[in-house]
Amino acid sequence: MNIITDKFPESVSLCGRSYPIKTDFKVWLKFHEIMKDKSKSPAEKFTDAVLCCFDPCKCKNLPDSYEGTLSVLFSFFAGTQKGKGEAKPAEKVFDFTEDADYIFTSFFQEYGIDLSESSMHWYKFLALLDGLSENSRLKKAVLWRSINLAEIEDTKRRNFCRKMKEFYRLESRTALGEKNIAEELAKAF
């Protein structure tokens, strides 16, 4: 998909059928929160995700396949429908929920976009997020989290980097991925 010339997708495809979905970035941030919620059972997460993401005004039927539904929702969430593969970082250095303040501040500073008052397609949001400069608060936090301390020979520098890495560390250290969430949800069905 060419983000400049092609229209953003408004649906997901499963078994040759198209299912309209909600595409606003706030819906997909909510999807992320639903999938991370440890207080909900797998069945509740699946139900909440379906209710959150599919557009009831446009979608007359929901997909029949449980696994297929999860797969297309995670593909859309990951942006893989637009031609990007899913990256597997060695350690988690970013989280939509925990980094919400950094995301908000970075978008406002760099683009003049107030995310609390904006609506935009999820893929546009992902492109803008990816395009943030190295000077943005979000990118600085991610940089500190991703530093490999073993590669730093100078003891003072390594100690400083360790403190910064700890300061910016994420509370949830496991990545939200299609495989681990799908396995958890599969247990309920």
Side-chain angles (χ1 to χ4, degrees):
M1 179 182 144
N2 183 325
I3 195 168
I4 298 169
T5 59
D6 297 337
K7 187 177 178 190
F8 290 123
E10 300 287 327
S11 62
V12 292
S13 296
L14 182 62
C15 300
R17 292 187 63 188
S18 180
Y19 298 93
I21 55 170
K22 298 174 187 173
T23 60
D24 188 70
F25 77 99
K26 291 176 186 174
V27 169
W28 293 93
L29 293 175
K30 183 67 178 167
F31 172 80
H32 177 262
E33 290 175 7
I34 290 168
M35 292 294 115
K36 281 183 56 176
D37 190 344
K38 293 180 178 167
S39 70
K40 293 185 179 191
S41 71
E44 289 172 316
K45 287 182 185 183
F46 178 75
T47 302
D48 288 351
V50 167
L51 293 173
C52 176
C53 298
F54 287 99
D55 189 341
C57 298
K58 298 177 186 173
C59 195
K60 294 179 178 133
N61 297 330
L62 293 174
D64 294 333
S65 166
Y66 158 77
E67 292 84 7
T69 300
L70 284 179
S71 179
V72 296
L73 291 179
F74 273 106
S75 291
F76 190 87
F77 174 75
T80 54
Q81 283 196 355
K82 64 180 183 125
K84 285 189 175 181
E86 194 174 341
K88 302 283 187 200
E91 66 178 301
K92 185 176 177 184
V93 295
F94 171 78
D95 183 85
F96 284 110
T97 304
E98 292 183 54
D99 286 323
D101 289 347
Y102 292 145
I103 294 168
F104 180 86
T105 302
S106 297
F107 269 66
F108 194 76
Q109 287 176 335
E110 294 210 13
Y111 305 125
I113 298 172
D114 182 342
L115 291 176
S116 67
E117 297 178 2
S118 298
S119 293
M120 74 178 79
H121 193 284
W122 177 241
Y123 286 2
K124 182 178 180 181
F125 174 82
L126 290 177
L128 291 172
L129 183 70
D130 190 45
L132 289 170
S133 74
E134 297 300 319
N135 293 323
S136 69
R137 292 201 55 205
L138 177 65
K139 291 281 180 127
K140 286 180 180 179
V142 169
L143 177 69
W144 283 115
R145 293 174 191 149
S146 62
I147 285 179
N148 184 349
L149 296 173
E151 293 177 355
I152 302 172
E153 293 180 19
D154 180 64
T155 306
K156 285 184 179 181
R157 175 82 177 140
R158 188 174 46 249
N159 287 337
F160 174 76
C161 291
R162 180 179 289 115
K163 288 177 185 175
M164 294 304 289
K165 191 169 181 143
E166 181 61 25
F167 177 79
Y168 285 106
R169 109 181 141 77
L170 295 169
E171 293 300 318
S172 62
R173 297 186 184 190
T174 56
L176 173 68
E178 181 176 345
K179 184 178 178 187
N180 59 348
I181 296 295
E183 287 173 357
E184 180 187 340
L185 292 172
K187 293 175 188 174
F189 295 96

